[in-house]
Amino acid sequence: MDLSRCAVGAATRIVDVDVEPGMRRRLGELGLRPGAVVQVTQDVRRQGRVLAVGAERFALDVRTCTLIAVEPVGAAEPALEQAARA
Amino acid sequence: MSCHEPAQVQTPVATLGRRATVALVGSPNVGKSTLFNAATGARQQVVNAPGTTVELATGRWREADVTLVDLPGAYSLLPRTPDEQVTADAVAGRGGPGEIDVVVVLLDTTAIARSLYLLGQVATADVPVLVALTMQDVAAARGVLIDADVLAARLGVPVVAINPRTGDGLDRLAATVQETVADLAGAPRVAGPARTTAAGAAHPGPSSDGADVADDGDARLADADALFGWVQDVLAEVQGPTPADGVRAVARTRSDRVDAVLLRPWVGVPVLLAVMWSLFELVTVAATPLMSWVDTVVNGWFGGLVRTLLSGLPDWVSGFVVDGVLAGVGTVLSFAPLMGLMFVAVALLEDSGYLARAAFVADRAMRALGLDGRAVLPLVIGFGCNLPALAATRTLPHARQRLLTGLLVPLTSCTARLTVYVMLAAVFFPDNAGTAVFGMYLLSALLVIGIGTLLRRTAFRDLAREPFVLALPAYQRPRLRAIATSTWVRVRSFVTKAGTIIVATLSVVWVLMALPVTGGHRLADVPVEDSVYGWVADGVAPVFAPAGFDDWHASAALMTGFVAKEVVVGSMAQSFAVAEPEDPSLPGDLGTQLRATFTRTSGGAPGAAALAFMVFVLVYTPCLATLSEQARLFGARWTWAAVASQLVLAWVLAVLVFQVGRLL
């Protein structure tokens, strides 16, 4: 599964980042590296996604989201899940 | 260790033989420039880093008695942008602002992991380091708490919690800086991170304006992983261990709730358009009365006073002072409110946190042009006025993106050019005037797209399309005092640097118009056609024969338009010795003269010649003020290259339009 398919509020762990090495390092420096747990806080459809990485928020375009493989972790955070339904 | 009371310290000047230099290092949006502005006030200057188009602000921090340098925001000292290269070079003691004695690293509490990563890189450069912990209030709202004392104990260097927006903690930071500077040899170093490839920002890289600043191998990735290991160790001690599943609860914040609405396409796009429209109105409708008022005061009231004071001297003296030098000063000062308004508007958007959202919303459209989402701001403003549009390029985080956007801005058709279109369209296309004017705007947009694409494939091939990953800062209330200080410094920089070029050029133009080339005229009392200026215009005119307007009135108007497009119509009226039309759409005698002239020079195809003239006005050098600002921001080399390219492109397109048009 990749980030573009994640539901809002679902905690996911990054398992792979399929971009060129320099960009992979930069994404890692921003906290988006294998092993990191992130949550989608906004789904802006074809525009992209907003992720919570710790207390930070990052906007990513859809294409980049498709290059980040993730796996589900734990249960969805209730507040965000509620927001997603709204 | 987190709080240092002022102590008996030696002055830095006595210790070093000079005032110590302290650099601020931090990631974008960490509050670095806010801290800089709060510490230095207006005692600062903005200069480009040597050999680059990357801005560096330096100033005096009186409370700490040091020179403070605001280095460009950087996520890492393994640079991926020219801006980060400047920061990496400065920390490593290469180029930039000269020798740095102490680095203050700003840690964003909301992004503590990546902030510590940057600190780890700086620490390995073996330079005394202090830590300023920011954004604690925002982090607390998101459930993240970091204790400055605990962090200081773990890192082994002073950590001062500050809020640059309110000024809280700045006095303690100043005292800590002063103490550290007084005993540089004994200053503590950050405990922990091993010296890696990133150490000392040793990445050699190209020039800071250079192309490929990315250089990555397995060693660098391994270095980064090792540094992150250290970061995790530090976080485990200051935050407590990570839960077994690695999941910390994400608190839904006020910014999340606003974004849930504002980032939706059917809300985000209209809001972005509304913001763009407001900026457009600001640089056109709102700024115009202010500019007119300044012009009236300087050129009217003050000019009259100076002319009276100089009445005992020869006419040419008062003419030169008032119509040359003072006219230049008036031009510069009349642009100052416009620039000030734009700097304030951009700062408000940036400081509130909205600009990052605007970039996200506009990103897809701008990427089609190969530009960053944030380029939408200067390009839209450019249709109002090119000068503040250049000011808005500073919101782009990448120097090469700023340069590319800055080169495209003159192709956006500003409102000053509109007066020329309206007049010529009314004269030559009375039944389709609106279509002709619209065509100019359409051509302008096509040129931005076309030239942008061409540049991306040639001189800017290094600007690879990168994944869009942008930190969204929390929405915050803008700090008006800091914005006012920043605006004042930038307007002052424009007036003193770009202003010098404007005043000098306008003075030269006056001299050319005052010097007669035929007999029977006195200095400064000569019709345009008998002046050096008219003589040059006459000499230049044949160049435009293939474009259908080989006439000195037209070339003289274009030469004047080099100074400002607003005066093209007036220049034509002056050279034809007819009254300047109050309304360009009702050109009266000027229209009659123009039609007769263009009919003669075009061999019976005046419409095609007029269209070619309009195209030339659209494409060639926008105005002297814009050029001066380009030179200030991007340097003389790029500016002259842009001028030459614009002139060649304008001529080629004008010839093409005329040659095709006269066949229709």
Side-chain angles (χ1 to χ4, degrees), chain B residues 295-309:
Chain B
D295 187 56
T296 302
V297 169
V298 177
N299 288 330
W301 179 79
F302 190 64
L305 180 67
V306 173
R307 207 182 289 275
T308 304
L309 291 173

Side-chain angles (χ1 to χ4, degrees), chain B residues 620-638:
Chain B
Y620 90 116
T621 323
C623 69
L624 183 58
T626 299
L627 273 190
S628 306
E629 184 67 355
Q630 274 188 320
R632 186 178 77 84
L633 294 175
F634 308 127
R637 189 169 61 92
W638 278 108

Side-chain angles (χ1 to χ4, degrees), chain B residues 537-579:
Chain B
D538 201 36
V540 168
V543 171
F544 298 110
F549 51 91
D550 170 12
D551 178 75
W552 78 268
H553 300 87
S555 53
L558 291 176
M559 285 166 58
T560 312
F562 176 83
V563 176
K565 294 291 174 291
E566 290 92 337
V567 293
V568 168
V569 175
S571 169
M572 282 181 161
Q574 186 188 16
S575 65
F576 280 117
V578 297

Side-chain angles (χ1 to χ4, degrees), chain A residues 13 25 29 47 55-56 59, chain B residues 114 117 142 216 245 360:
Chain A
R13 179 176 285 108
R25 178 175 53 74
E29 288 169 339
Q47 189 70 42
E56 273 199 286
Chain B
R114 67 171 166 79
Y117 174 84
R142 294 178 178 182
D216 294 279
D245 61 357
F360 185 43

